[in-house]
Amino acid sequence: MSLTAGIVGLPNVGKSTLFNAITNQKILAENYPFATIEPNVGIVTVPDKRMDKLKEMYNPKRFIPTAYEFTDIAGLVKGASKGEGLGNKFLSHIREVDAIVEVVRCFDDGKIIHVEGNIDPIRDIETINLELAIADLEVINNRLEKVSKKARTTKNKDDILETEVLKKCKKSLEENKPIRLLNLSDDEKKAIKSYSFLTEKPIIYLANIKEEDIGNSDNKYVKEVKEYAKKENARVISLCAKVEEDLSELNAQDKEEMLEALGLDSSGLDKLINTTYDILGLATYFTVGPDEVRAWTFKKGMNAKECAGIIHTDFEKGFIRAEVISYEDLIKYGDELKVKEAGRARLEGKDYLMQDGDICHFRFNV
């Protein structure tokens, strides 16, 4: 599945430094606004210790972890929805992502320019969120009059539903509430899916701190961000983008030693990647064997037939059954044969809801 998280924020908050760390690529990261003109896209793997164990057990010729894209989108400024800076172009890039990682500067440093002149993370968050909301309202206003007129004329139930949902979204935005906080039904979400509303996308607030504040719970800026995020039931992750960039350049052993010296059990990037994976409602199933061990990303709630289609459309079209064992049983019993002997292997039909950690072999006939 092709899924993308977009990194956004005001200029000079650490977005490009973070992106360098995520992808271990060297992109432009300069101390001035608009250093990033086109979005930079990098593929990242989802940290999963289960894959390391499967690789050890099967010693496969190919080893393919699950992955998705992070997109570094240039800094937004106040007025972006009206074209200020390079706003309209950037907003269109955000519209294409599945989740938003909003980087917020939570450190003082006179050597690094802040576009607003001083550090105020809540002001920065509200600046960006307001621009996203204005952009959504513009889309709604442009569409609402047309679809409501059509609904009154044709009495078409789809047009009526779309009109009702758009009105609900408009009211929410005018009350300064993002669309993602609306309790929309599946049918309502489907009615507005094509608009890719910016404020409907799940969001993570990433507090970029100084190295000295790693492991310190007293950073006043981070506390403010967490309080703000509570209102949206949003996640907050604290990390030092510069430290994460340094970590990304180290080999595994040196990285472990640096993390230990910092008093961390895992990098902030690993937490960010796993959290992004989680808020998108994603999970992982595996296919294993001597030729290939591979992780496959699926949306929670997908059935076996749909998950088979992630590998190839023929698997879904000609689906017969799925042979399934759990990762936990494989580890407990030691190999697939012993899992079967213990009666823990299962044959599942097309309606079986795939679970995170399932190890599958699909039977199909086209």
Side-chain angles (χ1 to χ4, degrees), residues 10 12 17 85 94 101-102 109 127 182 263 300 320 327 346:
L10 294 176
N12 300 332
T17 303
I94 301 171
V101 177
E102 189 169 320
D109 189 334
T127 294
L182 287 174
K300 293 175 183 176
I320 299 173
Y327 171 82
R346 311 188 306 276

Side-chain angles (χ1 to χ4, degrees), residues 3-6 22 44-48 66 68-70 98-102 201-207 229 233-239 266-284 297 299-300:
L3 292 152
T4 306
I22 286 174
V44 298
T45 58
V46 179
D48 193 332
T66 190
Y68 60 90
E69 295 179 354
F70 268 99
D98 299 292
I100 294 173
V101 177
E102 189 169 320
K201 299 178 187 298
I203 194 167
I204 297 171
Y205 293 110
L206 192 146
N233 196 28
R235 309 277 189 95
V236 178
I237 293 176
S238 299
L239 58 73
S266 64
S267 73
L269 287 181
D270 284 354
K271 292 176 182 176
L272 172 61
I273 294 167
N274 282 321
T275 301
T276 309
Y277 197 72
D278 185 51
I279 69 166
L280 287 172
L282 305 178
T284 303
T297 300
K299 284 267 190 184
K300 293 175 183 176

Side-chain angles (χ1 to χ4, degrees), residues 58-221:
Y58 287 90
N59 191 27
K61 296 174 184 175
R62 294 184 302 278
F63 177 73
I64 307 174
T66 190
Y68 60 90
E69 295 179 354
F70 268 99
T71 301
D72 178 38
I73 299 167
L76 289 170
V77 294
K78 189 180 295 182
S81 58
K82 303 299 181 184
E84 292 295 325
L86 297 172
N88 289 330
K89 192 172 185 180
F90 300 163
L91 290 170
S92 71
H93 292 316
I94 301 171
R95 209 172 290 285
E96 295 169 3
V97 305
D98 299 292
I100 294 173
V101 177
E102 189 169 320
V103 183
V104 187
R105 181 169 162 181
C106 291
F107 64 89
D108 294 302
D109 189 334
K111 295 178 182 178
I112 301 177
I113 303 163
H114 190 288
V115 71
E116 294 289 346
N118 67 314
I119 308 304
D120 185 342
I122 303 307
R123 175 203 59 208
D124 294 353
I125 289 173
E126 290 181 341
T127 294
I128 291 175
N129 290 358
L130 178 61
E131 295 305 324
L132 302 183
I134 291 171
D136 281 349
L137 274 170
E138 186 175 345
V139 172
I140 291 171
N141 288 332
N142 287 340
R143 175 61 178 164
L144 190 54
E145 185 177 349
K146 297 174 185 176
V147 71
S148 60
K149 183 178 180 180
K150 185 180 176 184
R152 288 193 301 270
T153 304
T154 65
K155 307 298 182 184
N156 179 281
K157 64 177 183 178
D158 291 335
D159 294 333
I160 293 171
L161 176 61
E162 183 180 343
T163 300
E164 291 173 350
V165 182
L166 288 176
K167 286 180 178 178
K168 190 182 291 188
C169 292
K170 181 178 180 178
K171 183 175 185 292
S172 180
L173 291 169
E174 289 174 342
E175 293 173 351
N176 201 28
K177 296 176 184 175
I179 293 172
R180 62 179 165 271
L181 294 186
L182 287 174
N183 188 23
L184 299 178
S185 68
D186 289 342
D187 286 341
E188 288 176 320
K189 289 177 182 177
K190 187 177 179 181
I192 61 171
K193 183 178 180 181
S194 63
Y195 298 115
S196 297
F197 285 128
L198 304 175
T199 65
E200 188 184 12
K201 299 178 187 298
I203 194 167
I204 297 171
Y205 293 110
L206 192 146
N208 188 16
I209 60 177
K210 293 190 293 187
E211 181 176 348
E212 304 91 87
D213 284 339
I214 293 175
N216 177 11
S217 60
D218 293 329
N219 184 306
K220 64 177 182 178
Y221 298 133

